[in-house]
């Protein structure tokens, strides 16, 4: 039966494919594809983990004190029985053999399937066994985590789906459906080919959404109970423009979306022709179009759309999902140098680590802070871990010998933080000098993403060479709306007069003092915002490579002389959205 689930649109276009469920689990689970020749080893890893749990439970039984309640012994019997049951084991094996899922992913997927069967059972005793099954699976996951193998680089695309009941000789497009995806998971998935994804949680500028945009695949977040409503292998359509997922579409709906998908492809084809067209407005204003990247390899995508540099390299992605083992100076240096070389002398703006809130180093559920978005994140964390921060700064300064590297500092709010940061940059330089290690010059910029920073521009401009406005956080902190919380996503308003005022003032003050100001938040990559930002005087935009050509198209049609008075009217209006559409 066809039904639809509504969420928040984060990435445009249409995807049609089979649902791949990524079940959530209390244990942090890695999801990746294994190489076909690694399948036997992966099955052996699974068997070893299961056998270890069997031994663990048998030991518990043997060591049970005499006065222990008899129910406990019976419960362990049930757990042992579930462990041996083929209902779990056979399915897991199938997912590894046929889909090349890693053991953890196969296990949580099968758990989800079996849990649903339990939910449908009439007998309340049997229904309650679901909780036992979850506990057993959690034990296996913990064993697997303990015995985790270094994550093999996943193959560049999802393997051929040999196990599908239908179309089993075809490459069926896959659509990810999950409760949530960690940023680290997203990076893994980025190396595979997925046609689109849907998550239950998340907002327009949550990091999951941001990575989706960088993957340039249709996506919907904040779709509430999507992962419960969809079953493994269901056919789904994702309408990224409308923020809707349609499950089990009828042939008429499929045909309609097939048409829409082809239209989208044609439009993309037309935009590609703009790649080498200079980004100049009708009145001759040259506009700088820069790329946002997460990994050095993303420079290829930036060059492919004609970006003239990188305005934001989110370095934190190098640090994520490494079980606490942070990359050392040489590893970071290699990554930053690769990024700098990848841009062939064009600017490479490396932002120092921005960890915390919705970008945890490892398991986000482990974050026990009361309010991580207001807590120890970004530069605050870096300043609290000076050895880690100095390591990163040295690596960036060394990479600066190989390209035009800029250093960008996230989340600054206090003058004290500015001073400490700049002192640490000097110290990192001195340490390299003392070791006789080559390093290069960097221009240092600050992100304006906390209202306090936007309201103390004079200090920021005095200390920094350039500013970059992080509208994602600036909106979050100005409006007190968690950017990752779908329940308040309707209040996350980029056109709120307070947001526009801070934006306009920052751009104007930078121009007055002759210091470059860019916008690197998602607003810069939204073609609906291009004219407004141009009218406010913005001349440097940094965004996902996937957005660059659409924004360039807007720029080529714009006349900044006419847009300037209109933009002032927009920011003073009670209904900016209406003026924007006019
Ligand atoms: C921003 O806040 O707008 C920004 C670019 O930084 P991030 O999205 O990585 O927090
Ligand atoms: Mg930010």
């Amino acid at each position: 039966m066809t039904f639809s689930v509504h969420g928040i649109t984060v990435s445009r276009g249409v995807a049609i494919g089979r649902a791949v469920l990524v079940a959530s689990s209390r244990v942090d689970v890695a999801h990746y594809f294994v190489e076909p020749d690694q399948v036997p080893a992966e099955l052996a890893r699974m068997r070893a983990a299961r056998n270890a749990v069997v031994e663990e439970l048998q030991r518990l039984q043997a060591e049970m004190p005499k006065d222990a309640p008899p129910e406990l012994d019976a419960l362990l019997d049930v757990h042992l029985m579930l462990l041996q049951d083929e209902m779990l084991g056979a399915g897991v094996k199938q997912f590894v053999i046929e889909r090349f899922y890693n053991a953890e992913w196969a296990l949580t997927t099968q758990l989800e399937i079996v849990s649903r069967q339990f939910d449908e059972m009439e007998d309340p005793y049997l229904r309650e066994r679901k909780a036992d099954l979850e506990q057993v699976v959690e034990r296996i996951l913990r064993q697997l985590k303990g015995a985790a193998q270094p994550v093999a680089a996943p193959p560049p695309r999802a393997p051929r789906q040999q196990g599908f009941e239908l179309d089993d000789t075809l490459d069926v497009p896959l659509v990810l459906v999950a409760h949530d995806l960690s940023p680290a998971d997203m990076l893994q998935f980025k190396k595979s080919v997925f046609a689109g994804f849907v998550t239950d949680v998340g907002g327009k500028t949550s990091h999951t959404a941001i990575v989706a945009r960088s993957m340039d695949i249709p996506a919907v977040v904040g779709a509430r109970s999507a992962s419960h409503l969809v079953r493994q292998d269901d056919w789904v359509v994702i309408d990224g423009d409308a923020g809707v997922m349609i499950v089990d579409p009828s042939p008429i709906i499929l045909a309609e979306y097939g048409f829409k998908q082809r239209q989208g492809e044609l439009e993309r084809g037309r935009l590609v022709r703009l790649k080498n067209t200079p980004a100049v407005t009708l009145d001759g204003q040259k506009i700088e179009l820069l790329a946002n990247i997460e990994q050095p390899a993303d420079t290829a995508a930036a060059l492919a759309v004609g970006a003239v540099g990188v305005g934001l390299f989110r370095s934190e992605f190098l640090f994520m999902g490494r079980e606490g083992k942070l990359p050392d100076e040489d590893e970071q240096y290699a990554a930053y140098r690769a990024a700098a070389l990848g841009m062939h002398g064009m600017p490479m703006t490396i932002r120092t680590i921005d960890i915390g809130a919705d970008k945890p180093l490892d398991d986000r559920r482990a974050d026990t802070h009361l309010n991580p978005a207001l807590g120890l994140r970004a530069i605050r964390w870096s300043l609290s871990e000076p050895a880690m921060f100095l390591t990163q700064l040295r690596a960036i300064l060394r990479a600066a010998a190989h390209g035009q590297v800029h250093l960008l500092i996230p989340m600054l709010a206090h003058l004290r933080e500015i001073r400490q940061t700049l002192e640490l940059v000097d110290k990192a330089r001195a340490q390299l000098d003392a070791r006789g290690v080559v390093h290069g010059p960097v221009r240092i910029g600050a992100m304006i993403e906390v209202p306090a920073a936007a309201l103390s521009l004079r200090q920021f401009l005095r200390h920094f060479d350039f500013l970059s406005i992080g509208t994602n956080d600036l909106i979050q902190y100005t409006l007190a709306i968690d950017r990752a919380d779908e329940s308040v996503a309707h209040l996350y308003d980029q056109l709120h007069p307070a947001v526009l005022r801070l934006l306009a003032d920052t751009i104007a003050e930078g121009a007055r003092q002759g210091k470059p100001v860019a916008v690197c938040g998602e607003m810069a990559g939204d073609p609906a915002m291009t004219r407004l930002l141009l009218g406010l005087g913005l001349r440097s935009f940094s965004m996902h490579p996937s957005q660059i050509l659409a924004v360039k198209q807007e720029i080529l049609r714009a006349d900044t002389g006419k847009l300037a008075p209109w933009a002032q009217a927009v920011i003073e209006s009670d209904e900016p959205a209406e003026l924007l559409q006019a």
Side-chain angles (χ1 to χ4, degrees), residues 271-443:
L271 282 178
V272 169
R273 292 191 214 129
L274 298 180
K275 179 192 162 188
N276 296 317
T277 309
V280 179
T281 61
L282 291 174
D283 56 325
Q285 292 285 329
K286 283 199 193 112
I287 310 298
E288 187 177 47
L289 291 181
L290 304 165
N292 289 356
I293 65 168
E294 277 94 40
Q295 307 177 101
D298 295 341
T299 51
L303 293 176
V305 290
V308 296
V310 165
L312 174 65
F313 173 6
R314 290 184 162 99
S315 68
E316 54 272 14
F317 284 88
L318 295 176
F319 293 71
M320 285 175 184
R322 302 173 55 113
E323 311 261 326
K325 272 195 244 96
L326 302 186
D328 64 14
E329 182 181 322
D330 283 343
E331 184 181 342
Q332 287 188 59
Y333 164 58
Y336 304 144
R337 187 189 52 192
L341 291 173
M343 288 313 285
H344 307 297
M346 292 188 280
M348 164 55 61
T349 310
I350 304 174
R351 181 177 69 182
T352 59
I353 186 166
D354 181 359
I355 279 298
D358 69 328
K359 285 185 288 186
L361 265 184
D362 286 302
D363 183 0
R364 80 173 53 187
R365 284 159 287 245
D367 196 335
T368 52
H369 290 113
L370 287 179
N371 192 335
L374 300 182
L376 196 64
R377 64 168 284 208
I379 190 63
R380 302 170 182 179
W381 186 64
S382 296
L383 293 175
S384 74
E385 298 276 345
M388 179 288 301
F389 192 39
L390 280 165
T391 304
Q392 180 173 40
L393 291 172
R394 286 193 303 271
I396 295 174
L397 292 169
R398 285 170 64 188
H402 303 278
Q404 191 186 332
V405 170
H406 304 327
L407 183 63
L408 182 59
I409 314 293
M411 278 280 291
L412 288 163
H414 301 268
L415 193 56
R416 195 174 58 236
E417 291 170 328
I418 297 178
R419 289 211 184 96
Q420 285 172 359
T421 302
L422 296 179
E423 275 164 25
L424 285 171
V425 176
D426 286 343
K427 186 164 175 183
R429 262 196 212 101
Q431 287 175 336
L432 291 174
D433 285 339
R435 277 166 35 193
V437 175
V438 178
H439 56 92
V442 289
R443 282 155 42 84

Side-chain angles (χ1 to χ4, degrees), residues 21-75:
L21 278 183
V22 177
S24 53
S25 120
R26 275 174 284 181
V27 181
D28 197 24
V29 170
H31 303 90
Y32 54 92
F33 293 108
V34 295
E35 299 281 4
D37 61 1
Q38 291 171 334
V39 164
E42 198 61 11
L43 290 174
R45 198 162 79 84
M46 181 66 216
R47 259 195 315 276
R50 194 195 59 181
N51 291 344
V53 176
V54 169
E55 274 172 33
E56 193 182 320
L57 295 181
Q58 284 170 342
R59 205 173 43 246
L60 273 175
Q61 256 182 339
E63 290 167 3
M64 186 103 63
K66 294 257 171 312
D67 54 351
E71 293 82 4
L72 210 57
D73 197 34
L75 199 66

